[in-house]
Amino acid sequence: MTESLVRNKPGMASIKEMPVVQDGPPPGGFAPVRYARRIPTSGPSATAIFLTTFGAFAYGMYQVGQGNKVRRALKEEKIAARSAILPMLQAEEDERFVKEWKKYLEEEARIMKDVPGWKVGENVYNSGKWMPPATGELRPEVW
């Protein structure tokens, strides 16, 4: 294909004679290309986040302290109530023990009536110390 057919002009002597046909920028130029890393500054600052976190922690620790005071007061009240009723509970236990001890002595006297020289209620260990039974009934296998 010849130049005369492409450009619709009679033959040219050089390429420099060709008219320049080229796209250019729009009037006023292109918009600037944004290549920098720009992070938006929206949201609270680091100081605000730190102070908020510290405030929440301080309030939580205050609430823990208040709960400890209440729990300590309830514990002291429970101990005071238990120590107040302790003499009554001890008296009831002593009464129960005396009844059981009498039953035990009667049963021992009935069982050992034929043994000469046997003294009912006497300690066979001769230690000189009287110790109440450690648990519940005196001799559950007897009853």
Side-chain angles (χ1 to χ4, degrees), residues 12-126:
M12 291 194 228
S14 167
I15 195 163
K16 292 181 179 177
E17 294 176 9
M18 287 180 60
V20 177
V21 179
Q22 167 179 336
D23 284 340
F30 288 108
V33 177
R34 184 175 161 196
Y35 61 90
R37 185 167 183 246
R38 292 188 182 104
I39 298 173
T41 57
S42 63
S45 66
T47 305
I49 292 172
F50 175 76
L51 290 176
T52 304
T53 304
F54 179 76
F57 177 76
Y59 178 73
M61 294 311 321
Y62 172 77
Q63 290 297 323
V64 167
Q66 295 303 309
N68 287 343
K69 285 182 182 178
V70 170
R71 192 169 61 246
R72 190 179 312 119
L74 290 174
K75 187 176 180 182
E76 289 173 2
E77 181 182 350
K78 181 190 272 186
I79 290 171
R82 287 180 178 179
S83 64
I85 65 170
L86 185 64
M88 185 187 71
L89 294 176
Q90 187 64 51
E92 287 179 355
E93 176 58 25
D94 290 346
E95 183 181 3
R96 186 205 63 80
F97 176 76
V98 168
K99 287 179 184 177
E100 289 291 322
W101 186 250
K102 285 181 181 178
K103 285 182 188 177
Y104 173 73
L105 292 179
E106 289 171 3
E107 186 68 17
E108 183 181 352
R110 186 183 66 76
I111 293 171
M112 302 302 284
K113 66 182 173 188
D114 297 330
V115 177
W118 183 263
K119 295 180 184 174
V120 176
E122 186 175 307
N123 190 352
V124 294
Y125 297 110
N126 299 320

Side-chain angles (χ1 to χ4, degrees), residues 2-15 17-18:
T2 64
E3 191 66 31
S4 61
L5 290 177
V6 172
R7 301 259 179 202
N8 203 12
K9 289 190 175 188
M12 291 194 228
S14 167
I15 195 163
E17 294 176 9
M18 287 180 60

